[in-house]
Amino acid sequence: MRRLAWLLPAVLVTVSLGLVACGEDGGSPATTDESAVESQAEREARYAREDAARDRERAERRAQARRERARAAARREQARAAARRRKARAAAHKRERERQQQQAAAQPEPEPAADCEPGYDPCVPPYSQGDVDCADVNGPISVSGSDPHGLDADGDGTGCE
């Protein structure tokens, strides 16, 4: 529309000068007026089409920008939601570990049987009842802590291998 605002007076001046020139040359003023008006109308129509095309392009660019902003906002919201879920899972895992630790602390260690030496699995009679050799027990013995009977000679945690 801006183009038309300054173009219209220029076209009118040009047409007026053309009419004056046609009248001086002896040409047909009616023919010149019609062709000048026709070309002016064509130019105005072309400018209007160009303006409409530019307006459509601008509107499409604005719509595209709005769609991009909406997609970016959706991606940001998805990232925030994922972060909230990760944070909630981490907090739940932490609470579960703390609960398990509290339960473990609340449960007393099982006392070894009165007739078993602590640190041996399966049960080996206490040292106070006499020394036990590998020939006195069946299979390998798991040894943890002290080894008063000396069943784990190589110190690898398994005796009577």
Side-chain angles (χ1 to χ4, degrees):
M1 291 315 232
R2 290 183 193 163
R3 182 178 282 175
L4 290 178
W6 67 268
L7 186 61
L8 188 56
V11 169
L12 291 175
V13 169
T14 305
V15 170
S16 299
L17 289 175
L19 290 176
V20 171
C22 266
E24 292 175 1
D25 292 342
S28 168
T31 307
T32 307
D33 278 342
E34 288 175 13
S35 65
V37 169
E38 235 178 89
S39 67
Q40 179 184 358
E42 289 172 359
R43 279 193 299 271
E44 288 177 2
R46 181 170 44 91
Y47 292 146
R49 286 190 305 271
E50 290 172 355
D51 285 343
R54 276 192 298 277
D55 289 344
R56 283 191 303 272
E57 288 174 9
R58 285 187 198 116
E60 180 56 33
R61 282 194 304 269
R62 285 192 301 268
Q64 180 67 23
R66 280 192 303 272
R67 288 190 295 269
E68 284 298 321
R69 285 191 301 270
R71 281 190 214 109
R75 284 191 300 269
R76 284 191 303 271
E77 182 55 34
Q78 287 174 346
R80 286 185 201 116
R84 285 190 299 268
R85 287 190 302 270
R86 283 192 304 271
K87 194 173 185 179
R89 279 194 303 264
H93 286 297
K94 182 178 178 182
R95 285 191 304 270
E96 179 62 22
R97 279 193 310 271
E98 289 172 353
R99 186 187 64 76
Q100 288 174 352
Q101 289 172 350
Q102 288 173 351
Q103 283 181 345
Q107 293 177 352
E109 291 272 336
E111 297 270 337
D115 57 343
C116 294
E117 181 72 40
Y120 292 106
D121 186 36
C123 181
V124 173
Y127 191 75
S128 61
Q129 294 181 3
D131 189 24
V132 176
D133 294 324
C134 286
D136 300 328
V137 295
N138 294 330
I141 303 288
S142 172
V143 180
S144 61
S146 66
D147 183 14
H149 292 289
L151 300 177
D152 184 14
D154 57 2
D156 67 350
T158 304
C160 300
E161 299 174 272

